[in-house]
Amino acid sequence: MLFDYEQETLPREELEALQLRRLQTQCERVYANVPFYRKKFDEAGLKPSEIRSLSDLTNLPFTEKQDLRNHYPFGMFAVPRDQVVRVHASSGTTGRATVVGYTRRDIRNWSELMARSFMLAGANSNDVIHNAYGYGLFTGGLGAHYGAERLGATVIPISGGSTKRQAVLLKDFAPDVICCTPSYALHLHEAAMEAGIDIAKLPLRIGIFGAEPWTDEMRRDVERKMGLKAMDIYGLSEVMGPGVAMECIEAQNGLHIQEDHFLVEIINPETGEILPPGSTGELVITTLTKEAIPLIRYRTKDLTSLDYTPCKCGRTFARMHRLMGRSDDMLIIRGVNVFPSQIESILLETEGLTPHYQLIIKREGTLDTLEVQVEVDEKLFSDAIKNLQRLEGGIQKNIKDFLGVTAKVKLVEPRTIERSAGKAKRIIDQRG
Ligand code: DLL
């Protein structure tokens, strides 16, 4: 069953007409209320009233994360502060935090879109939802919480951390759905095993996993270990939070973008040129209904492609391919480009390796070097040293053969790579 049948199955022309109306209103709103946008429109010699078709969007300027940072904390808000009922912020590990705000209506829309996302994933109002996304400035916790309540489900607001206790509560409360990052799901599984709890034997049916890159190999691993269907959810705080796009349980073939609220484009990340449907490039999102902090052509840095062909679930919203990575996570090792996800795929296809790994980038002279540290499982760990060395050589060769990158592979003992309650830290940059 669809959550919002009429909206989610709108014929393309009607959907685009709705998008255009909303885009026009949004442009009027930012022009009137956000000096940053008024200046950008004026510089482009464009008035909001000149937006007459969706393709006119291409005349508008891009917005970037740096623009939000430059207007830290509230300078991009389009409503007076007294209409803002909540703020969230990104962690700001790579610079100043980016702060976003929500009006009452923004929160209502977000809850609605998260409730839709739960239904896309096959959850329903009878479900008990264990929400292990972090509560706080991060959008994961409260975003999933409000959506679960809007759905009418029973939400367990456990947040991230206290992993052993979470394992016990999974057994005692027997939830149907779990929400967390895929790496935390694996961590939880490990802690549960240590406590003698086999999550695969619990009623848990669906995992709503996102907020960090993960591969299909990782999905299969999580599904096998936890005995559930692992569903991919996408979002980013600048644009709303989780629920911008979600896979449907019926086809599980790309993430439906909630196109009645977001207008999407794919561009060449180097030139900014718009790419035709099906091409892989950077996802650019224009918010169509956000009031507190509307964004026009926001460059997400996330790399994906769009699919407009009909989906067997009946929804008409376009689907984005699961993320390939972020353009700023791309490693260039001796002139060869590689994404962490490509290395993850190779690691997880190798028997005896675990999904716990880190990529360490160093500089030797003028060249960058890559070391892949990956944990082996207990069984392999007890093997003779010479077998482990042979395996290291084998993985090194696969990385070279499939990706063209020279990497040093180092197998490490089980449980030596740091676990996280939220997003896993995959890249350790020691270039200084
Ligand atoms: O991670 C929002 C979120 C919370 C999404 C819970 C899904 C579930 P930020 O902290 O602003 O927001 O980080 C956004 O995380 O631009 C992507 O690079 C990455 N990301 C989010 N979802 C996925 C996913 C939240 N399903 C950034 N696959 C985004 C891969 C993802 N990467």
Side-chain angles (χ1 to χ4, degrees):
M1 197 191 70
L2 305 185
F3 178 71
D4 192 345
Y5 188 85
E6 257 183 39
Q7 284 294 98
E8 292 180 74
T9 60
L10 274 179
R12 197 82 219 160
E13 316 80 77
E14 283 176 45
L15 177 60
E16 288 182 359
L18 173 72
Q19 288 181 317
L20 178 60
R21 282 198 305 279
R22 290 183 166 175
L23 175 68
Q24 288 164 333
T25 311
Q26 196 72 292
C27 287
E28 297 284 356
R29 194 191 340 252
V30 296
Y31 191 82
N33 299 307
V34 187
F36 166 81
Y37 279 117
R38 185 166 329 127
K39 188 159 166 272
K40 288 260 186 171
F41 274 69
D42 288 345
E43 278 167 4
L46 201 72
K47 293 269 171 295
S49 57
E50 287 166 342
I51 304 289
R52 296 196 189 93
S53 73
L54 287 180
S55 56
D56 287 338
L57 186 70
T58 55
N59 301 322
L60 299 178
F62 291 118
T63 309
E64 302 195 27
K65 199 180 187 82
Q66 193 55 42
D67 297 319
L68 290 168
R69 290 200 175 124
N70 293 346
H71 296 85
Y72 176 86
F74 307 138
M76 297 275 282
F77 285 16
V79 296
R81 225 267 309 118
D82 65 354
Q83 288 179 32
V84 176
V85 299
R86 194 191 303 163
V87 294
H88 280 285
S90 75
S91 56
T93 41
T94 55
R96 250 184 192 174
T98 44
V99 182
V100 290
Y102 302 78
T103 63
R104 208 175 284 284
R105 184 182 286 156
D106 289 335
I107 296 286
R108 203 181 65 206
N109 282 338
W110 186 15
S111 309
E112 202 75 26
L113 294 186
M114 268 310 292
R116 264 193 208 171
S117 301
F118 278 118
M119 295 209 73
L120 271 143
N124 62 61
S125 59
N126 284 325
D127 285 332
V128 176
I129 300 181
H130 178 104
N131 183 18
Y133 281 121
Y135 282 64
L137 286 174
F138 175 56
T139 51
L142 284 169
H145 183 105
Y146 274 59
E149 284 192 352
R150 172 67 187 88
L151 179 66
T154 307
V155 54
I156 303 169
I158 189 89
S159 192
S162 318
T163 308
K164 280 251 152 68
R165 177 155 175 257
Q166 294 217 17
V168 173
L169 293 188
L170 280 178
K171 181 160 84 49
D172 295 349
F173 294 176
D176 308 278
V177 179
I178 182 168
C179 306
C180 61
T181 60
S183 58
Y184 189 64
L186 286 168
H187 179 25
L188 195 50
H189 167 263
E190 203 172 60
M193 279 309 203
E194 278 169 15
I197 299 164
D198 184 358
I199 296 181
K201 299 218 170 89
L202 304 179
L204 207 54
R205 199 174 82 239
I206 299 165
I208 312 269
F209 300 133
E212 64 181 4
W214 57 312
T215 55
D216 263 328
E217 288 78 11
M218 175 104 151
R219 186 205 305 262
R220 282 195 288 275
D221 192 56
V222 179
E223 289 189 331
R224 187 177 48 80
K225 286 182 171 145
M226 298 181 72
L228 46 67
K229 199 98 187 101
M231 306 296 294
D232 196 4
I233 184 164
Y234 170 77
L236 62 169
S237 45
E238 296 90 318
V239 159
M240 178 176 82
V244 173
M246 175 82 217
E247 280 180 326
C248 62
I249 187 99
E250 294 87 352
Q252 220 185 30
N253 182 17
L255 293 80
H256 286 280
I257 295 168
Q258 315 254 26
E259 283 190 284
D260 49 347
H261 293 265
F262 306 104
L263 194 57
V264 289
E265 305 165 86
I266 295 286
I267 62 163
N268 175 328
E270 263 119 57
T271 61
E273 165 209 4
I274 298 182
L275 299 177
S279 330
T280 298
E282 179 179 341
L283 180 69
V284 172
I285 305 179
T286 299
T287 64
L288 294 174
T289 51
K290 281 278 288 291
E291 291 181 335
I293 178 163
L295 292 180
I296 306 289
R297 302 192 86 197
Y298 184 71
R299 293 190 58 161
T300 63
K301 302 264 168 116
D302 290 324
L303 301 173
T304 182
S305 59
L306 300 176
D307 184 352
Y308 288 88
T309 59
C311 180
K312 74 172 182 203
C313 74
R315 292 177 181 86
T316 48
F317 293 168
R319 284 163 291 156
M320 62 181 245
H321 194 274
R322 76 180 308 145
L323 285 197
M324 189 179 157
R326 292 179 56 79
S327 58
D328 45 11
D329 274 354
M330 188 180 76
L331 307 171
I332 304 177
I333 306 297
R334 302 185 184 221
V336 184
N337 301 349
V338 60
F339 284 99
S341 60
Q342 294 175 297
I343 295 188
E344 180 178 300
S345 295
I346 290 185
L347 297 179
L348 291 187
E349 273 169 6
T350 315
E351 182 113 20
L353 298 190
T354 71
H356 304 288
Y357 67 93
Q358 273 182 338
L359 308 179
I360 296 147
I361 324 289
K362 292 188 196 158
R363 178 155 294 162
E364 278 168 21
T366 53
L367 291 179
D368 289 342
T369 62
L370 169 65
E371 179 174 299
V372 179
Q373 292 194 355
V374 55
E375 284 180 18
V376 296
D377 63 19
E378 298 285 353
K379 199 163 128 268
L380 195 71
F381 184 58
S382 57
D383 259 19
I385 295 270
K386 70 170 187 320
N387 290 344
L388 294 180
Q389 281 170 345
R390 196 173 310 134
L391 185 61
E392 281 178 346
I395 305 163
Q396 233 155 267
K397 183 166 183 309
N398 280 344
I399 293 179
K400 181 79 192 171
D401 289 352
F402 289 107
L403 308 176
V405 165
T406 309
K408 176 165 183 256
V409 173
K410 190 169 159 199
L411 302 181
V412 300
E413 286 180 37
R415 304 195 206 316
T416 45
I417 288 176
E418 196 189 335
R419 305 290 189 261
S420 147
K423 301 180 190 240
K425 189 163 171 50
R426 301 292 191 199
I427 301 177
I428 312 286
D429 192 339
Q430 297 180 343
R431 284 172 297 191

